[in-house]
Amino acid sequence: MGSVFVILSIFLASIEPIIVKFGYNSSNINPLSIILFKNVIGGLIIIPITTLLGNKFKILNLGEILNISKVSVLLLFTTSMMIISLKLIPAVVMLTIFTSTPAFVSIINHIKGKERTDFIFWSGFFTAFIGITLLLDIYSKNFVFDMKFFFGVFLTFCGVLSSSFYRTTLDELTNKYTPIVVSTYIFLINSILITIFFIIFNPLFDFNQQGIMIGIYGGIAGTLANISFLYALNILGSTKVSVLNMLQQPTVIILSSIVLKEKLAMYQILGIALVLIGVNLAVRKIIKIK
């Protein structure tokens, strides 16, 4: 039963981009309103949820909180880039580009001297890169430079980069604190930061009911998924979690195409396949340096 809850929670968070894009397509939603409610709700429910799971809230000193705030800002930036970019580009494009994150994580760890990469890794990485270029339609004879589209792609890659640094820094933090402590403070810090941003830049925010509801959904699903992923490693084991992630990526991408009726050319479908194959090939050839 625990495994079912974990899988469901992670899946509900994974389809958040589809829900956000569906909201954009049906109403004029301000992305900032989604970001605000997503983070505020996450901060409000994180302690009650972790308490129900039997984890006592641990009070950290200012230095420790500032240490965790580094990753909280990275996560806030990552999720914000995802939400804003969906206003500009199809969900399939955004989701496929974000699928490449594990490969960039490996490159960062390689630069830091934590992991060693080989020929097969780089073959997988460049296969994924070629897949992304196919997805972006830059080889088409009918290709026309669309500033709005490429700005959305740029924001997505900014999110991938910040997500990669978030994951590598998170590894270091969880060696000092328990994952639950780190997760709790990340949600609390981000809710405070986004509230301060709202107070200062209040005129930028424009609320409607749909935007608020999507933000609330994102806050609840994101919080449950974050905690569930931590438990997934214990309940399912790292191998099963990796398999789940492999299955989840194409499932959500295909689902977004169907639900949102985003038409894809054959070479774009090939591009998605190359990204999925390339990334999964690359991350399986990582050698940890002890």
Side-chain angles (χ1 to χ4, degrees), residues 165-188:
F165 280 109
Y166 164 74
R167 295 188 188 194
T168 54
T169 310
L170 194 63
D171 283 342
E172 299 166 4
L173 273 179
T174 50
N175 290 329
K176 298 179 182 179
Y177 316 100
T178 66
I180 286 293
V181 168
V182 175
S183 183
T184 301
Y185 274 91
I186 283 174
F187 278 94
L188 291 175

mmCIF file with all atom_site columns, all heavy atoms in Angstrom, residues 165-188:
data_model
loop_
_atom_site.group_PDB
_atom_site.id
_atom_site.type_symbol
_atom_site.label_atom_id
_atom_site.label_alt_id
_atom_site.label_comp_id
_atom_site.label_asym_id
_atom_site.label_entity_id
_atom_site.label_seq_id
_atom_site.pdbx_PDB_ins_code
_atom_site.Cartn_x
_atom_site.Cartn_y
_atom_site.Cartn_z
_atom_site.occupancy
_atom_site.B_iso_or_equiv
_atom_site.pdbx_formal_charge
_atom_site.auth_seq_id
_atom_site.auth_comp_id
_atom_site.auth_asym_id
_atom_site.auth_atom_id
_atom_site.pdbx_PDB_model_num
ATOM 1   N N   . PHE A 1 165 ? 22.144 21.897 -10.586 1.00 0.00 ? 165 PHE A N   1
ATOM 2   C CA  . PHE A 1 165 ? 22.896 22.372 -9.421  1.00 0.00 ? 165 PHE A CA  1
ATOM 3   C C   . PHE A 1 165 ? 22.141 22.060 -8.123  1.00 0.00 ? 165 PHE A C   1
ATOM 4   O O   . PHE A 1 165 ? 22.753 21.758 -7.092  1.00 0.00 ? 165 PHE A O   1
ATOM 5   C CB  . PHE A 1 165 ? 23.174 23.872 -9.527  1.00 0.00 ? 165 PHE A CB  1
ATOM 6   C CG  . PHE A 1 165 ? 24.327 24.209 -10.422 1.00 0.00 ? 165 PHE A CG  1
ATOM 7   C CD1 . PHE A 1 165 ? 24.128 24.820 -11.655 1.00 0.00 ? 165 PHE A CD1 1
ATOM 8   C CD2 . PHE A 1 165 ? 25.623 23.898 -10.043 1.00 0.00 ? 165 PHE A CD2 1
ATOM 9   C CE1 . PHE A 1 165 ? 25.188 25.112 -12.489 1.00 0.00 ? 165 PHE A CE1 1
ATOM 10  C CE2 . PHE A 1 165 ? 26.702 24.200 -10.865 1.00 0.00 ? 165 PHE A CE2 1
ATOM 11  C CZ  . PHE A 1 165 ? 26.487 24.798 -12.102 1.00 0.00 ? 165 PHE A CZ  1
ATOM 12  N N   . TYR A 1 166 ? 20.812 22.129 -8.186  1.00 0.00 ? 166 TYR A N   1
ATOM 13  C CA  . TYR A 1 166 ? 19.984 21.801 -7.015  1.00 0.00 ? 166 TYR A CA  1
ATOM 14  C C   . TYR A 1 166 ? 20.223 20.357 -6.589  1.00 0.00 ? 166 TYR A C   1
ATOM 15  O O   . TYR A 1 166 ? 20.446 20.067 -5.410  1.00 0.00 ? 166 TYR A O   1
ATOM 16  C CB  . TYR A 1 166 ? 18.506 22.015 -7.358  1.00 0.00 ? 166 TYR A CB  1
ATOM 17  C CG  . TYR A 1 166 ? 17.538 21.374 -6.387  1.00 0.00 ? 166 TYR A CG  1
ATOM 18  C CD1 . TYR A 1 166 ? 17.319 21.921 -5.114  1.00 0.00 ? 166 TYR A CD1 1
ATOM 19  C CD2 . TYR A 1 166 ? 16.847 20.208 -6.728  1.00 0.00 ? 166 TYR A CD2 1
ATOM 20  C CE1 . TYR A 1 166 ? 16.438 21.323 -4.228  1.00 0.00 ? 166 TYR A CE1 1
ATOM 21  C CE2 . TYR A 1 166 ? 15.957 19.619 -5.851  1.00 0.00 ? 166 TYR A CE2 1
ATOM 22  C CZ  . TYR A 1 166 ? 15.760 20.178 -4.599  1.00 0.00 ? 166 TYR A CZ  1
ATOM 23  O OH  . TYR A 1 166 ? 14.883 19.585 -3.717  1.00 0.00 ? 166 TYR A OH  1
ATOM 24  N N   . ARG A 1 167 ? 20.217 19.440 -7.546  1.00 0.00 ? 167 ARG A N   1
ATOM 25  C CA  . ARG A 1 167 ? 20.371 18.027 -7.223  1.00 0.00 ? 167 ARG A CA  1
ATOM 26  C C   . ARG A 1 167 ? 21.759 17.701 -6.699  1.00 0.00 ? 167 ARG A C   1
ATOM 27  O O   . ARG A 1 167 ? 21.906 16.912 -5.757  1.00 0.00 ? 167 ARG A O   1
ATOM 28  C CB  . ARG A 1 167 ? 20.069 17.167 -8.460  1.00 0.00 ? 167 ARG A CB  1
ATOM 29  C CG  . ARG A 1 167 ? 18.627 17.274 -8.919  1.00 0.00 ? 167 ARG A CG  1
ATOM 30  C CD  . ARG A 1 167 ? 18.322 16.261 -10.005 1.00 0.00 ? 167 ARG A CD  1
ATOM 31  N NE  . ARG A 1 167 ? 17.004 16.473 -10.593 1.00 0.00 ? 167 ARG A NE  1
ATOM 32  C CZ  . ARG A 1 167 ? 16.389 15.587 -11.361 1.00 0.00 ? 167 ARG A CZ  1
ATOM 33  N NH1 . ARG A 1 167 ? 16.967 14.434 -11.641 1.00 0.00 ? 167 ARG A NH1 1
ATOM 34  N NH2 . ARG A 1 167 ? 15.202 15.847 -11.860 1.00 0.00 ? 167 ARG A NH2 1
ATOM 35  N N   . THR A 1 168 ? 22.788 18.303 -7.313  1.00 0.00 ? 168 THR A N   1
ATOM 36  C CA  . THR A 1 168 ? 24.154 18.016 -6.859  1.00 0.00 ? 168 THR A CA  1
ATOM 37  C C   . THR A 1 168 ? 24.427 18.629 -5.482  1.00 0.00 ? 168 THR A C   1
ATOM 38  O O   . THR A 1 168 ? 25.128 18.040 -4.667  1.00 0.00 ? 168 THR A O   1
ATOM 39  C CB  . THR A 1 168 ? 25.183 18.551 -7.871  1.00 0.00 ? 168 THR A CB  1
ATOM 40  O OG1 . THR A 1 168 ? 24.948 19.948 -8.120  1.00 0.00 ? 168 THR A OG1 1
ATOM 41  C CG2 . THR A 1 168 ? 25.089 17.800 -9.182  1.00 0.00 ? 168 THR A CG2 1
ATOM 42  N N   . THR A 1 169 ? 23.876 19.811 -5.230  1.00 0.00 ? 169 THR A N   1
ATOM 43  C CA  . THR A 1 169 ? 24.050 20.448 -3.918  1.00 0.00 ? 169 THR A CA  1
ATOM 44  C C   . THR A 1 169 ? 23.237 19.719 -2.856  1.00 0.00 ? 169 THR A C   1
ATOM 45  O O   . THR A 1 169 ? 23.656 19.606 -1.702  1.00 0.00 ? 169 THR A O   1
ATOM 46  C CB  . THR A 1 169 ? 23.621 21.933 -3.970  1.00 0.00 ? 169 THR A CB  1
ATOM 47  O OG1 . THR A 1 169 ? 24.249 22.566 -5.077  1.00 0.00 ? 169 THR A OG1 1
ATOM 48  C CG2 . THR A 1 169 ? 24.011 22.659 -2.685  1.00 0.00 ? 169 THR A CG2 1
ATOM 49  N N   . LEU A 1 170 ? 22.076 19.198 -3.260  1.00 0.00 ? 170 LEU A N   1
ATOM 50  C CA  . LEU A 1 170 ? 21.218 18.463 -2.331  1.00 0.00 ? 170 LEU A CA  1
ATOM 51  C C   . LEU A 1 170 ? 21.926 17.218 -1.819  1.00 0.00 ? 170 LEU A C   1
ATOM 52  O O   . LEU A 1 170 ? 21.784 16.844 -0.653  1.00 0.00 ? 170 LEU A O   1
ATOM 53  C CB  . LEU A 1 170 ? 19.910 18.079 -3.018  1.00 0.00 ? 170 LEU A CB  1
ATOM 54  C CG  . LEU A 1 170 ? 18.757 17.600 -2.132  1.00 0.00 ? 170 LEU A CG  1
ATOM 55  C CD1 . LEU A 1 170 ? 18.319 18.713 -1.188  1.00 0.00 ? 170 LEU A CD1 1
ATOM 56  C CD2 . LEU A 1 170 ? 17.585 17.151 -2.993  1.00 0.00 ? 170 LEU A CD2 1
ATOM 57  N N   . ASP A 1 171 ? 22.696 16.569 -2.687  1.00 0.00 ? 171 ASP A N   1
ATOM 58  C CA  . ASP A 1 171 ? 23.466 15.396 -2.276  1.00 0.00 ? 171 ASP A CA  1
ATOM 59  C C   . ASP A 1 171 ? 24.392 15.735 -1.118  1.00 0.00 ? 171 ASP A C   1
ATOM 60  O O   . ASP A 1 171 ? 24.538 14.966 -0.163  1.00 0.00 ? 171 ASP A O   1
ATOM 61  C CB  . ASP A 1 171 ? 24.314 14.871 -3.451  1.00 0.00 ? 171 ASP A CB  1
ATOM 62  C CG  . ASP A 1 171 ? 23.475 14.091 -4.438  1.00 0.00 ? 171 ASP A CG  1
ATOM 63  O OD1 . ASP A 1 171 ? 22.362 13.679 -4.068  1.00 0.00 ? 171 ASP A OD1 1
ATOM 64  O OD2 . ASP A 1 171 ? 23.923 13.904 -5.574  1.00 0.00 ? 171 ASP A OD2 1
ATOM 65  N N   . GLU A 1 172 ? 25.032 16.898 -1.216  1.00 0.00 ? 172 GLU A N   1
ATOM 66  C CA  . GLU A 1 172 ? 25.964 17.329 -0.168  1.00 0.00 ? 172 GLU A CA  1
ATOM 67  C C   . GLU A 1 172 ? 25.224 17.663 1.128   1.00 0.00 ? 172 GLU A C   1
ATOM 68  O O   . GLU A 1 172 ? 25.683 17.354 2.228   1.00 0.00 ? 172 GLU A O   1
ATOM 69  C CB  . GLU A 1 172 ? 26.755 18.541 -0.661  1.00 0.00 ? 172 GLU A CB  1
ATOM 70  C CG  . GLU A 1 172 ? 27.601 18.253 -1.899  1.00 0.00 ? 172 GLU A CG  1
ATOM 71  C CD  . GLU A 1 172 ? 28.120 19.511 -2.573  1.00 0.00 ? 172 GLU A CD  1
ATOM 72  O OE1 . GLU A 1 172 ? 27.882 20.622 -2.023  1.00 0.00 ? 172 GLU A OE1 1
ATOM 73  O OE2 . GLU A 1 172 ? 28.750 19.393 -3.641  1.00 0.00 ? 172 GLU A OE2 1
ATOM 74  N N   . LEU A 1 173 ? 24.053 18.301 0.998   1.00 0.00 ? 173 LEU A N   1
ATOM 75  C CA  . LEU A 1 173 ? 23.288 18.691 2.189   1.00 0.00 ? 173 LEU A CA  1
ATOM 76  C C   . LEU A 1 173 ? 22.746 17.492 2.958   1.00 0.00 ? 173 LEU A C   1
ATOM 77  O O   . LEU A 1 173 ? 22.726 17.487 4.185   1.00 0.00 ? 173 LEU A O   1
ATOM 78  C CB  . LEU A 1 173 ? 22.125 19.599 1.794   1.00 0.00 ? 173 LEU A CB  1
ATOM 79  C CG  . LEU A 1 173 ? 22.407 21.101 1.698   1.00 0.00 ? 173 LEU A CG  1
ATOM 80  C CD1 . LEU A 1 173 ? 21.156 21.830 1.266   1.00 0.00 ? 173 LEU A CD1 1
ATOM 81  C CD2 . LEU A 1 173 ? 22.905 21.653 3.024   1.00 0.00 ? 173 LEU A CD2 1
ATOM 82  N N   . THR A 1 174 ? 22.295 16.466 2.220   1.00 0.00 ? 174 THR A N   1
ATOM 83  C CA  . THR A 1 174 ? 21.707 15.296 2.885   1.00 0.00 ? 174 THR A CA  1
ATOM 84  C C   . THR A 1 174 ? 22.759 14.441 3.583   1.00 0.00 ? 174 THR A C   1
ATOM 85  O O   . THR A 1 174 ? 22.418 13.489 4.292   1.00 0.00 ? 174 THR A O   1
ATOM 86  C CB  . THR A 1 174 ? 20.915 14.428 1.878   1.00 0.00 ? 174 THR A CB  1
ATOM 87  O OG1 . THR A 1 174 ? 21.719 14.169 0.722   1.00 0.00 ? 174 THR A OG1 1
ATOM 88  C CG2 . THR A 1 174 ? 19.634 15.132 1.461   1.00 0.00 ? 174 THR A CG2 1
ATOM 89  N N   . ASN A 1 175 ? 24.025 14.777 3.382   1.00 0.00 ? 175 ASN A N   1
ATOM 90  C CA  . ASN A 1 175 ? 25.080 14.131 4.175   1.00 0.00 ? 175 ASN A CA  1
ATOM 91  C C   . ASN A 1 175 ? 25.207 14.779 5.550   1.00 0.00 ? 175 ASN A C   1
ATOM 92  O O   . ASN A 1 175 ? 25.740 14.183 6.486   1.00 0.00 ? 175 ASN A O   1
ATOM 93  C CB  . ASN A 1 175 ? 26.429 14.222 3.447   1.00 0.00 ? 175 ASN A CB  1
ATOM 94  C CG  . ASN A 1 175 ? 26.479 13.358 2.208   1.00 0.00 ? 175 ASN A CG  1
ATOM 95  O OD1 . ASN A 1 175 ? 25.836 12.314 2.162   1.00 0.00 ? 175 ASN A OD1 1
ATOM 96  N ND2 . ASN A 1 175 ? 27.224 13.782 1.205   1.00 0.00 ? 175 ASN A ND2 1
ATOM 97  N N   . LYS A 1 176 ? 24.702 16.028 5.657   1.00 0.00 ? 176 LYS A N   1
ATOM 98  C CA  . LYS A 1 176 ? 24.762 16.762 6.927   1.00 0.00 ? 176 LYS A CA  1
ATOM 99  C C   . LYS A 1 176 ? 23.444 16.690 7.697   1.00 0.00 ? 176 LYS A C   1
ATOM 100 O O   . LYS A 1 176 ? 23.431 16.642 8.921   1.00 0.00 ? 176 LYS A O   1
ATOM 101 C CB  . LYS A 1 176 ? 25.099 18.245 6.661   1.00 0.00 ? 176 LYS A CB  1
ATOM 102 C CG  . LYS A 1 176 ? 26.445 18.472 5.995   1.00 0.00 ? 176 LYS A CG  1
ATOM 103 C CD  . LYS A 1 176 ? 26.663 19.970 5.748   1.00 0.00 ? 176 LYS A CD  1
ATOM 104 C CE  . LYS A 1 176 ? 27.989 20.216 5.048   1.00 0.00 ? 176 LYS A CE  1
ATOM 105 N NZ  . LYS A 1 176 ? 28.205 21.673 4.771   1.00 0.00 ? 176 LYS A NZ  1
ATOM 106 N N   . TYR A 1 177 ? 22.341 16.710 6.961   1.00 0.00 ? 177 TYR A N   1
ATOM 107 C CA  . TYR A 1 177 ? 21.015 16.696 7.588   1.00 0.00 ? 177 TYR A CA  1
ATOM 108 C C   . TYR A 1 177 ? 20.186 15.572 6.971   1.00 0.00 ? 177 TYR A C   1
ATOM 109 O O   . TYR A 1 177 ? 20.465 15.115 5.864   1.00 0.00 ? 177 TYR A O   1
ATOM 110 C CB  . TYR A 1 177 ? 20.291 18.033 7.365   1.00 0.00 ? 177 TYR A CB  1
ATOM 111 C CG  . TYR A 1 177 ? 21.142 19.252 7.579   1.00 0.00 ? 177 TYR A CG  1
ATOM 112 C CD1 . TYR A 1 177 ? 21.707 19.929 6.490   1.00 0.00 ? 177 TYR A CD1 1
ATOM 113 C CD2 . TYR A 1 177 ? 21.400 19.743 8.857   1.00 0.00 ? 177 TYR A CD2 1
ATOM 114 C CE1 . TYR A 1 177 ? 22.493 21.057 6.676   1.00 0.00 ? 177 TYR A CE1 1
ATOM 115 C CE2 . TYR A 1 177 ? 22.187 20.866 9.046   1.00 0.00 ? 177 TYR A CE2 1
ATOM 116 C CZ  . TYR A 1 177 ? 22.732 21.518 7.957   1.00 0.00 ? 177 TYR A CZ  1
ATOM 117 O OH  . TYR A 1 177 ? 23.514 22.624 8.135   1.00 0.00 ? 177 TYR A OH  1
ATOM 118 N N   . THR A 1 178 ? 19.132 15.166 7.660   1.00 0.00 ? 178 THR A N   1
ATOM 119 C CA  . THR A 1 178 ? 18.249 14.136 7.100   1.00 0.00 ? 178 THR A CA  1
ATOM 120 C C   . THR A 1 178 ? 17.457 14.736 5.937   1.00 0.00 ? 178 THR A C   1
ATOM 121 O O   . THR A 1 178 ? 17.192 15.948 5.921   1.00 0.00 ? 178 THR A O   1
ATOM 122 C CB  . THR A 1 178 ? 17.261 13.606 8.150   1.00 0.00 ? 178 THR A CB  1
ATOM 123 O OG1 . THR A 1 178 ? 16.363 14.669 8.522   1.00 0.00 ? 178 THR A OG1 1
ATOM 124 C CG2 . THR A 1 178 ? 17.987 13.086 9.378   1.00 0.00 ? 178 THR A CG2 1
ATOM 125 N N   . PRO A 1 179 ? 17.080 13.924 4.957   1.00 0.00 ? 179 PRO A N   1
ATOM 126 C CA  . PRO A 1 179 ? 16.311 14.438 3.815   1.00 0.00 ? 179 PRO A CA  1
ATOM 127 C C   . PRO A 1 179 ? 15.030 15.153 4.232   1.00 0.00 ? 179 PRO A C   1
ATOM 128 O O   . PRO A 1 179 ? 14.651 16.154 3.612   1.00 0.00 ? 179 PRO A O   1
ATOM 129 C CB  . PRO A 1 179 ? 15.991 13.168 3.018   1.00 0.00 ? 179 PRO A CB  1
ATOM 130 C CG  . PRO A 1 179 ? 17.102 12.232 3.340   1.00 0.00 ? 179 PRO A CG  1
ATOM 131 C CD  . PRO A 1 179 ? 17.425 12.497 4.785   1.00 0.00 ? 179 PRO A CD  1
ATOM 132 N N   . ILE A 1 180 ? 14.369 14.660 5.284   1.00 0.00 ? 180 ILE A N   1
ATOM 133 C CA  . ILE A 1 180 ? 13.122 15.283 5.744   1.00 0.00 ? 180 ILE A CA  1
ATOM 134 C C   . ILE A 1 180 ? 13.385 16.687 6.280   1.00 0.00 ? 180 ILE A C   1
ATOM 135 O O   . ILE A 1 180 ? 12.620 17.620 6.013   1.00 0.00 ? 180 ILE A O   1
ATOM 136 C CB  . ILE A 1 180 ? 12.436 14.427 6.830   1.00 0.00 ? 180 ILE A CB  1
ATOM 137 C CG1 . ILE A 1 180 ? 11.804 13.192 6.207   1.00 0.00 ? 180 ILE A CG1 1
ATOM 138 C CG2 . ILE A 1 180 ? 11.375 15.227 7.576   1.00 0.00 ? 180 ILE A CG2 1
ATOM 139 C CD1 . ILE A 1 180 ? 10.636 13.486 5.292   1.00 0.00 ? 180 ILE A CD1 1
ATOM 140 N N   . VAL A 1 181 ? 14.472 16.867 7.016   1.00 0.00 ? 181 VAL A N   1
ATOM 141 C CA  . VAL A 1 181 ? 14.824 18.190 7.558   1.00 0.00 ? 181 VAL A CA  1
ATOM 142 C C   . VAL A 1 181 ? 15.097 19.159 6.408   1.00 0.00 ? 181 VAL A C   1
ATOM 143 O O   . VAL A 1 181 ? 14.596 20.293 6.401   1.00 0.00 ? 181 VAL A O   1
ATOM 144 C CB  . VAL A 1 181 ? 16.061 18.102 8.490   1.00 0.00 ? 181 VAL A CB  1
ATOM 145 C CG1 . VAL A 1 181 ? 16.597 19.503 8.808   1.00 0.00 ? 181 VAL A CG1 1
ATOM 146 C CG2 . VAL A 1 181 ? 15.704 17.382 9.772   1.00 0.00 ? 181 VAL A CG2 1
ATOM 147 N N   . VAL A 1 182 ? 15.883 18.712 5.439   1.00 0.00 ? 182 VAL A N   1
ATOM 148 C CA  . VAL A 1 182 ? 16.208 19.561 4.289   1.00 0.00 ? 182 VAL A CA  1
ATOM 149 C C   . VAL A 1 182 ? 14.943 19.926 3.525   1.00 0.00 ? 182 VAL A C   1
ATOM 150 O O   . VAL A 1 182 ? 14.713 21.092 3.190   1.00 0.00 ? 182 VAL A O   1
ATOM 151 C CB  . VAL A 1 182 ? 17.206 18.843 3.346   1.00 0.00 ? 182 VAL A CB  1
ATOM 152 C CG1 . VAL A 1 182 ? 17.434 19.683 2.091   1.00 0.00 ? 182 VAL A CG1 1
ATOM 153 C CG2 . VAL A 1 182 ? 18.529 18.602 4.055   1.00 0.00 ? 182 VAL A CG2 1
ATOM 154 N N   . SER A 1 183 ? 14.107 18.921 3.248   1.00 0.00 ? 183 SER A N   1
ATOM 155 C CA  . SER A 1 183 ? 12.866 19.141 2.500   1.00 0.00 ? 183 SER A CA  1
ATOM 156 C C   . SER A 1 183 ? 11.951 20.124 3.224   1.00 0.00 ? 183 SER A C   1
ATOM 157 O O   . SER A 1 183 ? 11.386 21.038 2.610   1.00 0.00 ? 183 SER A O   1
ATOM 158 C CB  . SER A 1 183 ? 12.142 17.808 2.291   1.00 0.00 ? 183 SER A CB  1
ATOM 159 O OG  . SER A 1 183 ? 10.987 17.991 1.524   1.00 0.00 ? 183 SER A OG  1
ATOM 160 N N   . THR A 1 184 ? 11.814 19.955 4.535   1.00 0.00 ? 184 THR A N   1
ATOM 161 C CA  . THR A 1 184 ? 10.945 20.830 5.331   1.00 0.00 ? 184 THR A CA  1
ATOM 162 C C   . THR A 1 184 ? 11.389 22.283 5.239   1.00 0.00 ? 184 THR A C   1
ATOM 163 O O   . THR A 1 184 ? 10.585 23.186 4.980   1.00 0.00 ? 184 THR A O   1
ATOM 164 C CB  . THR A 1 184 ? 10.926 20.383 6.804   1.00 0.00 ? 184 THR A CB  1
ATOM 165 O OG1 . THR A 1 184 ? 10.448 19.041 6.883   1.00 0.00 ? 184 THR A OG1 1
ATOM 166 C CG2 . THR A 1 184 ? 10.038 21.292 7.639   1.00 0.00 ? 184 THR A CG2 1
ATOM 167 N N   . TYR A 1 185 ? 12.694 22.513 5.423   1.00 0.00 ? 185 TYR A N   1
ATOM 168 C CA  . TYR A 1 185 ? 13.189 23.888 5.407   1.00 0.00 ? 185 TYR A CA  1
ATOM 169 C C   . TYR A 1 185 ? 13.167 24.497 4.008   1.00 0.00 ? 185 TYR A C   1
ATOM 170 O O   . TYR A 1 185 ? 12.961 25.710 3.858   1.00 0.00 ? 185 TYR A O   1
ATOM 171 C CB  . TYR A 1 185 ? 14.596 23.951 6.008   1.00 0.00 ? 185 TYR A CB  1
ATOM 172 C CG  . TYR A 1 185 ? 14.567 24.103 7.508   1.00 0.00 ? 185 TYR A CG  1
ATOM 173 C CD1 . TYR A 1 185 ? 14.582 22.988 8.336   1.00 0.00 ? 185 TYR A CD1 1
ATOM 174 C CD2 . TYR A 1 185 ? 14.472 25.363 8.104   1.00 0.00 ? 185 TYR A CD2 1
ATOM 175 C CE1 . TYR A 1 185 ? 14.524 23.118 9.720   1.00 0.00 ? 185 TYR A CE1 1
ATOM 176 C CE2 . TYR A 1 185 ? 14.416 25.508 9.482   1.00 0.00 ? 185 TYR A CE2 1
ATOM 177 C CZ  . TYR A 1 185 ? 14.439 24.381 10.287  1.00 0.00 ? 185 TYR A CZ  1
ATOM 178 O OH  . TYR A 1 185 ? 14.362 24.518 11.656  1.00 0.00 ? 185 TYR A OH  1
ATOM 179 N N   . ILE A 1 186 ? 13.331 23.671 2.981   1.00 0.00 ? 186 ILE A N   1
ATOM 180 C CA  . ILE A 1 186 ? 13.247 24.179 1.608   1.00 0.00 ? 186 ILE A CA  1
ATOM 181 C C   . ILE A 1 186 ? 11.857 24.759 1.355   1.00 0.00 ? 186 ILE A C   1
ATOM 182 O O   . ILE A 1 186 ? 11.715 25.870 0.828   1.00 0.00 ? 186 ILE A O   1
ATOM 183 C CB  . ILE A 1 186 ? 13.554 23.061 0.583   1.00 0.00 ? 186 ILE A CB  1
ATOM 184 C CG1 . ILE A 1 186 ? 15.063 22.804 0.526   1.00 0.00 ? 186 ILE A CG1 1
ATOM 185 C CG2 . ILE A 1 186 ? 13.045 23.436 -0.805  1.00 0.00 ? 186 ILE A CG2 1
ATOM 186 C CD1 . ILE A 1 186 ? 15.452 21.627 -0.340  1.00 0.00 ? 186 ILE A CD1 1
ATOM 187 N N   . PHE A 1 187 ? 10.828 24.018 1.739   1.00 0.00 ? 187 PHE A N   1
ATOM 188 C CA  . PHE A 1 187 ? 9.458  24.484 1.527   1.00 0.00 ? 187 PHE A CA  1
ATOM 189 C C   . PHE A 1 187 ? 9.155  25.726 2.370   1.00 0.00 ? 187 PHE A C   1
ATOM 190 O O   . PHE A 1 187 ? 8.479  26.655 1.900   1.00 0.00 ? 187 PHE A O   1
ATOM 191 C CB  . PHE A 1 187 ? 8.463  23.372 1.846   1.00 0.00 ? 187 PHE A CB  1
ATOM 192 C CG  . PHE A 1 187 ? 8.282  22.394 0.722   1.00 0.00 ? 187 PHE A CG  1
ATOM 193 C CD1 . PHE A 1 187 ? 9.027  21.229 0.673   1.00 0.00 ? 187 PHE A CD1 1
ATOM 194 C CD2 . PHE A 1 187 ? 7.382  22.636 -0.302  1.00 0.00 ? 187 PHE A CD2 1
ATOM 195 C CE1 . PHE A 1 187 ? 8.883  20.324 -0.367  1.00 0.00 ? 187 PHE A CE1 1
ATOM 196 C CE2 . PHE A 1 187 ? 7.222  21.745 -1.352  1.00 0.00 ? 187 PHE A CE2 1
ATOM 197 C CZ  . PHE A 1 187 ? 7.983  20.585 -1.385  1.00 0.00 ? 187 PHE A CZ  1
ATOM 198 N N   . LEU A 1 188 ? 9.637  25.742 3.604   1.00 0.00 ? 188 LEU A N   1
ATOM 199 C CA  . LEU A 1 188 ? 9.399  26.896 4.481   1.00 0.00 ? 188 LEU A CA  1
ATOM 200 C C   . LEU A 1 188 ? 10.094 28.146 3.951   1.00 0.00 ? 188 LEU A C   1
ATOM 201 O O   . LEU A 1 188 ? 9.509  29.233 3.894   1.00 0.00 ? 188 LEU A O   1
ATOM 202 C CB  . LEU A 1 188 ? 9.884  26.586 5.900   1.00 0.00 ? 188 LEU A CB  1
ATOM 203 C CG  . LEU A 1 188 ? 9.090  25.548 6.695   1.00 0.00 ? 188 LEU A CG  1
ATOM 204 C CD1 . LEU A 1 188 ? 9.773  25.268 8.029   1.00 0.00 ? 188 LEU A CD1 1
ATOM 205 C CD2 . LEU A 1 188 ? 7.656  26.020 6.925   1.00 0.00 ? 188 LEU A CD2 1
#
